Amino acid sequence: MNLNIQIPDNTALIFEYMQKGQFICSNSTDIDLRDMYNMIDENYESLYQYFSQINYTLERGNEYFYFSRTESKTTLEQKILRAYYWIDVLDFFKTYDETFGAGFRFQPEQILVEANINVLLQNKLDGIRKHFSDKDIRKDVLDNMIRLLAKESFIELENEKTNTYKVLTSWHYLEKLVDSINIFEDIEDEKPE
């Protein structure tokens, strides 16, 4: 164990932010978060070692950082249920616009207008309703999704006047989650060509 690790002065701020389960993204609209991203990027190895001493693993994604920890079985089951939710959310937004991803900008009102004319989008939004037991109105379901995405630092409110949100690079985490699911097809019923 090397106790002579050089760590940045603002390491406490990084820890306080990320220990809540939030991401630090390179394309954040918040300059302080972009500065933290650059600080982590420049000092990744020393910060990785430093945080590992307190049982946090500093993870590097595609233009984002986050903490992971070894979880108990109960927490793992909760994570699986949470993954179902994120898969539904990703599917919903990709149905809205297949280019939806890091850097994408949107207004929730535009999504609701599209959901009113697109039956597939309506069905997906209605399907997400199961994750919010007390919500009956599509607007409430979408508002809750947006609020949770912002809280989990997957999106940020970029312009309050126009209610425009920006998708952060941490969105890659959700895409990676879905991409990591392997589905093996049953090949017994296939006929050779």
Side-chain angles (χ1 to χ4, degrees):
M1 174 168 49
N2 181 3
L3 297 177
N4 293 326
I5 299 171
Q6 293 293 332
I7 59 168
D9 292 336
N10 292 337
T11 300
L13 289 173
I14 293 168
F15 178 77
E16 287 172 21
Y17 188 81
M18 291 196 339
Q19 63 94 22
K20 297 174 189 168
Q22 297 188 310
F23 294 82
I24 294 181
C25 302
S26 66
N27 73 335
S28 175
T29 58
D30 183 327
I31 193 161
D32 293 332
L33 289 175
R34 286 195 314 266
D35 287 346
M36 281 193 262
Y37 174 86
N38 290 331
M39 189 181 319
I40 296 169
D41 194 41
E42 293 167 7
N43 300 283
Y44 180 76
E45 292 302 321
S46 58
L47 287 170
Y48 180 90
Q49 289 177 5
Y50 179 77
F51 290 127
S52 70
Q53 299 301 311
I54 55 173
N55 293 326
Y56 282 87
T57 303
L58 179 61
E59 302 282 356
R60 178 192 297 263
N62 185 1
E63 298 289 316
Y64 62 91
F65 294 102
Y66 66 100
F67 281 147
S68 68
R69 295 180 65 162
T70 305
E71 305 290 346
S72 67
K73 184 177 180 180
T74 304
T75 305
L76 188 58
E77 289 171 7
Q78 291 169 344
K79 279 186 159 187
I80 290 170
L81 291 174
R82 200 79 188 136
Y84 286 141
Y85 169 74
W86 290 122
I87 290 167
D88 287 345
V89 167
L90 187 69
D91 183 41
F92 172 78
F93 284 106
K94 287 292 189 178
T95 300
Y96 167 68
D97 188 322
E98 63 185 34
T99 64
F100 196 97
F104 191 90
R105 287 168 174 79
F106 69 95
Q107 296 169 318
E109 298 79 18
Q110 293 171 330
I111 295 173
L112 282 175
V113 168
E114 182 67 22
N116 285 330
I117 58 174
N118 183 331
V119 175
L120 182 58
L121 201 57
Q122 285 175 19
N123 292 339
K124 291 189 183 294
L125 189 55
D126 290 342
I128 293 172
R129 189 178 292 169
K130 68 184 174 236
H131 299 288
F132 303 107
S133 59
D134 64 337
K135 301 299 173 197
D136 294 329
I137 302 170
R138 287 186 184 125
K139 182 184 181 322
D140 291 341
V141 174
L142 182 62
D143 287 347
N144 279 333
M145 269 196 309
I146 301 285
R147 194 173 10 269
L148 189 56
L149 285 166
K151 180 183 176 218
E152 299 284 336
S153 61
F154 291 113
I155 63 173
E156 282 182 345
L157 181 60
E158 184 176 51
N159 186 323
E160 223 173 301
K161 289 180 183 177
T162 62
N163 199 31
T164 301
Y165 286 84
K166 178 181 181 181
V167 181
L168 301 176
T169 54
S170 52
W171 189 263
H172 294 298
Y173 178 86
L174 295 178
E175 294 172 331
K176 186 177 172 185
L177 171 73
V178 172
D179 287 344
S180 68
I181 299 170
N182 292 319
I183 299 174
F184 298 100
E185 296 181 26
D186 188 9
I187 58 172
E188 285 180 25
D189 297 331
E190 287 186 16
K191 295 178 183 174
E193 293 182 22

